[in-house]
């Protein structure tokens, strides 16, 4: 029997104090390709937005880079599917499922909490609404923020995950 | 305020309205030399300097400030601002208060740095602490840590009341005679893919990567544009158009930035994409004469026989029930297998290796033992043997520079006359005459036993220094002027006011034939 361990398995109680949970083992696939191919595949072309929903989403990360996020499973299936769709184009598809831990924050105060450690304008009135995402810094860690209806996801390198939890707890 | 009861440039404070003032400010005394009347103590600016500015046509205190730098120091003019303005007023024959001091800018009251840092202060939050997926195990087994960049890496695992020297001796002995295991997850890893991946890597590294065989590994050195060693690592060729390269732990982000910079600004015609996968893979490095038996005992479908699985090749296989990329690569000179696995499985694989290694006395080892083991082999650490002023040849690594393959970053600089001097500082070994003596790192080296009058001619310095368990004595690496031509010569290390006699040696102290890497 193989023990699998997610990066924040040991911080569940701490996360609960800020109305957050780890979403472990999500499938995450990095896609690099040209815009014409991205358009053909229906990847979002509007910077800092994502298509899809909480169960499956494609995040715009850069002019030629997207992050596909899907339920835990075999990332190889997603990679292979994209390889077929992008065959004969200049592209790469890389499984990065373990490259980032995912923290999901709930509750009405979640954006105020994140804003205390983030220089990005996270006010809904300023445009931070469900459907947007951004690469930014949360205190001193690089993160991707994804705004969902009633939840915000924080994607962070696992080595920084403990630090981010510590930082958010202090902010409360 | 000004009531004419004193000199017309005086401002009366206190009891005004005709009473004799009990005190009043004096901006300038008339007697004496204006060059000795200090206005701004932090910049040594005097009444004469203010006079010079006004004499030059400046009338506004803000302009005088910029001409003299008065008020630009740590107190932002709190001790000099009013004084300066009033001296200017006086020199111009203006009434006191005609113009006031310059505008103060924050912080004009003392502000502790902690107030600026806010929440991001203290031992946990000042700088992020990065940990590997095996960190809990290290904690539970008493690891003493070393900071490597932002990472906490186990430096050694003391047993009982062992000090560092005792623990490192035990850990290195295990590697040379049995088997040890190292958490190497912090290695930087970059996935490099695309039609031109090989061409791209040929331009980034000094040696050729485009002719690397699939499933093989090659060591590579990267230079700055100045021809100086910038980072090192290995390239693994996964397929024709796909490599994974490793970087030093501390250099990972800089190498990634550099790859992107060259691709985005200089070689936009190359069809290559780079992806940071440092944390997509954890690395459990199993090394030592019994390493093959331990990996086999973990359960693997890879054929580990030496003929089937050669040094500097890798296999995608299963180890301990999980997918692993097994690389036969060694930073210690011993038979070694790097197990690249998912971080989700890292603890499982570490536990499996520890269990499988138990009959062989497997010993977890830290970065300190790793440093000793690689120094015994004369392997450099970028940032330890280098400080940004070493060429490959300085490090005795001219063999890795392929000048026939076309251009690469830093190539042009390698033929500048200064780079070809034969008295450049070169990497050598240093053996103290007293085998028990361990030189401090950074020790300066001179030719004679007597320290000459300053300025003394320093031949170089010690870059790494350890007690070697395998050699039963101290060893050191050093950069020494024309060092390769001095091998066998006497040299002296300066410790305080005394010198320690040493010999210059070849930097490969242990197993120079490399016979141990096959187990």
């Amino acid at each position: 029997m193989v023990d699998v361990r997610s990066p924040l398995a040991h911080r569940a109680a701490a996360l609960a104090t800020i109305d957050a949970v780890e979403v472990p083992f999500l499938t995450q696939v990095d896609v690099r390709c040209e815009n014409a191919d991205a358009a053909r595949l229906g990847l979002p072309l509007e910077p800092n937005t994502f298509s899809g929903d909480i169960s499956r989403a494609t995040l715009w990360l850069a002019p030629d880079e997207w992050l596909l996020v899907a339920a835990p499973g075999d990332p190889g299936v997603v990679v292979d599917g994209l390889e077929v769709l992008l065959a004969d184009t200049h592209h790469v598809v890389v499984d990065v499922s373990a490259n980032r831990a995912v923290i999901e924050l709930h509750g009405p105060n979640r954006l105020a909490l994140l804003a205390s450690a983030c220089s990005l304008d996270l006010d809904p009135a300023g445009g931070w609404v469900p459907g947007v995402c951004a690469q930014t810094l949360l205190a001193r860690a690089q993160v991707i923020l994804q705004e969902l209806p009633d939840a915000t996801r924080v994607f962070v390198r696992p080595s920084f995950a403990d630090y981010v939890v510590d930082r958010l707890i202090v902010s409360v | 305020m000004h009531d004419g009861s004193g000199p017309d440039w005086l401002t009366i404070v206190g009891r005004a309205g005709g009473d004799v003032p009990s005190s009043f400010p004096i901006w300038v005394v008339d007697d004496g030399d204006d060059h000795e009347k200090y206005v701004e103590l932090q910049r040594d600016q005097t009444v004469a300097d203010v006079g010079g500015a006004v004499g030059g046509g400046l009338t506004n205190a803000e302009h005088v400030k910029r001409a003299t730098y008065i008020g630009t120091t740590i107190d932002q003019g709190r001790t000099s601002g009013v004084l300066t303005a009033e001296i200017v007023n006086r020199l111009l024959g203006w009434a006191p208060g005609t113009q006031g001091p310059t505008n103060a800018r924050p912080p004009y009251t003392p502000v502790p740095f902690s107030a600026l840092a806010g929440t991001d202060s203290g031992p946990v939050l000042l700088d992020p602490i990065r940990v590997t997926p095996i960190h809990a195990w290290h904690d539970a087994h008493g690891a003493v840590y070393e900071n490597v960049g932002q990472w906490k890496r186990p430096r050694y695992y003391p047993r009982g009341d062992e000090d560092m020297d005792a623990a490192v001796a035990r850990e290195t002995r295990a590697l040379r005679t049995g088997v040890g295991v190292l958490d190497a997850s912090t290695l930087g890893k970059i996935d490099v893919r695309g039609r031109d991946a090989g061409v791209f890597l040929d331009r980034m590294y000094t040696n050729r990567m485009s002719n690397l065989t699939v499933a093989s590994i090659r060591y590579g050195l990267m230079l700055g544009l100045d021809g100086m060693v910038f980072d090192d690592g290995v390239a693994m060729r996964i397929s024709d158009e796909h490599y994974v390269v490793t970087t030093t732990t501390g250099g990972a982000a800089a190498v990634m930035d550099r790859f992107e910079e060259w691709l985005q600004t200089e070689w936009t015609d190359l069809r290559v994409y780079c992806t940071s996968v440092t944390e997509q893979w954890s690395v459990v490095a199993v090394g030592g004469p019994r390493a093959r038996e331990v990996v086999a005992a973990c359960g693997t479908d890879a054929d580990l026989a030496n003929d089937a699985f050669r040094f500097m090749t890798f296999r995608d296989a299963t180890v301990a029930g999980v997918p692993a990329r097994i690389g036969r690569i060694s930073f210690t000179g011993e038979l070694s297998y790097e197990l690249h696995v998912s971080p989700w499985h890292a603890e499982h694989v570490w536990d499996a290796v520890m269990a499988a290694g138990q009959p062989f006395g497997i010993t977890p080892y830290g970065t300190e033992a790793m440093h000793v083991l690689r120094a015994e082999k004369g392997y450099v650490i970028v940032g330890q043997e280098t400080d940004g002023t070493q060429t490959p040849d300085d490090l005795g690594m001219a063999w890795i520079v392929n000048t026939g393959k076309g251009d690469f970053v830093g190539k042009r600089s390698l033929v500048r006359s200064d780079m070809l001097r034969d008295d450049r500082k070169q990497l050598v070994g240093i053996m103290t005459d007293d085998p028990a003596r361990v030189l401090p790192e950074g020790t300066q080296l001179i030719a004679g036993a007597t320290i000459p009058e300053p300025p003394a001619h320093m031949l170089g310095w010690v870059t790494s220094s350890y007690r070697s368990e395998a050699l039963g004595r101290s060893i050191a690496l050093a950069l020494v002027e024309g060092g390769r031509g001095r091998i066998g010569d006497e040299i002296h290390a300066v410790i305080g006011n005394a010198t320690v006699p040493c010999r210059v040696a070849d930097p490969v102290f242990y197993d120079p034939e490399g016979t141990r890497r096959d187990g």
Side-chain angles (χ1 to χ4, degrees), chain B residues 16 40 76 82 101 119 327 363 407-408 426-427 431 467 487:
Chain B
E40 161 71 89
Q76 287 288 291
V82 173
T119 307
T363 302
D407 209 357
F408 58 85
Q426 298 169 335
L427 186 78
M431 303 267 235
R467 201 197 115 70
I487 288 176

Side-chain angles (χ1 to χ4, degrees), chain B residues 441-453:
Chain B
E441 287 173 356
T443 298
Q444 296 283 333
L445 301 166
I446 59 174
T450 314
I451 302 173
E453 285 301 306

Side-chain angles (χ1 to χ4, degrees), chain A residues 1-7 24-27 30 32-34 64-65 75 79 83 89-100 116 139-141 157-160 162-163 166-167 170-171, chain B residues 117 119-121 124-133 136 150-151 191 193-195 256 260 264 270-281 320-322 342-345 347-348 351:
Chain A
M1 185 60 200
V2 174
D3 303 319
V4 246
R5 186 165 156 146
S6 65
F25 308 125
L26 288 176
T27 295
D30 196 81
R32 306 286 296 271
C33 67
E34 285 166 7
D64 62 354
E65 185 173 17
V79 170
E83 286 288 358
T89 70
H90 176 37
H91 74 278
V92 303
V93 180
V94 186
D95 175 17
V96 290
S97 301
N99 215 25
R100 289 188 186 90
S116 73
R140 291 170 188 185
R157 304 272 189 227
S159 63
F160 286 99
D162 264 311
Y163 162 78
D166 290 337
R167 180 62 172 78
V170 168
S171 300
Chain B
T119 307
D120 297 311
S121 57
V124 175
L125 299 179
L126 178 64
D127 196 29
I129 294 168
R130 302 179 69 181
V131 296
T132 78
Q150 290 174 315
W151 292 95
D191 185 285
R193 291 195 215 194
R195 188 189 67 197
M256 183 70 189
E260 286 291 346
Q264 291 182 27
L270 291 188
R271 297 200 142 205
V272 180
Y273 284 123
C274 301
T275 312
S276 167
V277 290
T278 296
E279 301 203 35
Q280 176 69 13
W281 299 92
V322 301
S342 165
W344 300 342
H345 296 142
E347 212 174 32
H348 162 78
D351 288 343

